[in-house]
Amino acid sequence: MSDGDEAIGTNLAQLVKQLDAIEFRTDRDLYKYARILRQIGFELYMRIGMDADMVTEILSQYKGKWWTFGAQSKIRAKLVGGHLKAGSTAAKVFGLSGVKMYASFVKHFIKPEQEAEAEARKGKGKSKPGFSIGDKPSDSAGKPGEAGRAA
């Protein structure tokens, strides 16, 4: 595996420690941060979602008033569990924020650098008449070792 692609643990406490240990020095650090944040968000989303279902089921078994036959308890249980469901959705959004952060970094920092570099390479030698060696029929100068190859 390459740098930044090492396995990320599934233990929530371990993930938080890994997140805390990251120092932003390179683009790989941002990538690792986004991956860990996404994993934490997914883990919380799954745990809180399952807990919401469990709380809803446990509370819906409460007998309540005899004349409602337990229907009132089921409605109230859904209201209580709904708050946890909303929390699990928030955790999902939390995890996606890391992915969106990295995508925004790529869009606003990496892509412009790549485009500027490509534009510089494209425009290199166009303003000056180039000197070419071998079969390269172009106006631009070739790179070392390109002699004899067709474009």
Side-chain angles (χ1 to χ4, degrees), residues 111-148:
K111 291 279 188 201
E113 286 288 324
Q114 290 172 341
E115 290 169 1
E117 186 178 320
E119 193 64 34
R121 265 191 261 123
K122 210 186 310 180
K124 196 175 195 177
K126 288 213 181 216
S127 59
K128 305 178 211 171
F131 176 85
S132 109
I133 299 175
D135 298 333
K136 188 170 180 171
S138 98
D139 296 331
S140 64
K143 295 179 187 170
E146 285 186 341

Side-chain angles (χ1 to χ4, degrees), residues 33-127:
Y33 185 84
R35 285 187 65 217
I36 293 170
L37 206 60
R38 183 181 62 86
Q39 190 69 24
I40 289 172
F42 181 73
E43 185 81 21
L44 284 172
Y45 169 71
M46 293 299 293
R47 285 186 185 191
I48 295 172
M50 288 188 300
D51 290 346
D53 293 339
M54 185 171 45
V55 165
T56 301
E57 286 302 312
I58 288 171
L59 293 177
S60 66
Q61 294 174 4
Y62 180 71
K63 296 293 182 208
K65 306 292 184 196
W66 66 269
W67 61 84
T68 63
F69 302 108
Q72 189 179 40
S73 295
K74 289 180 183 169
I75 293 169
R76 289 180 178 184
K78 282 190 178 196
L79 291 172
V80 172
H83 293 291
L84 285 179
K85 279 287 190 189
S88 73
T89 303
K92 188 176 184 180
V93 171
F94 163 77
L96 288 175
S97 69
V99 174
K100 288 182 177 183
M101 176 272 307
Y102 188 74
S104 180
F105 168 71
V106 168
K107 177 183 177 184
H108 295 292
F109 287 92
I110 294 177
K111 291 279 188 201
E113 286 288 324
Q114 290 172 341
E115 290 169 1
E117 186 178 320
E119 193 64 34
R121 265 191 261 123
K122 210 186 310 180
K124 196 175 195 177
K126 288 213 181 216
S127 59

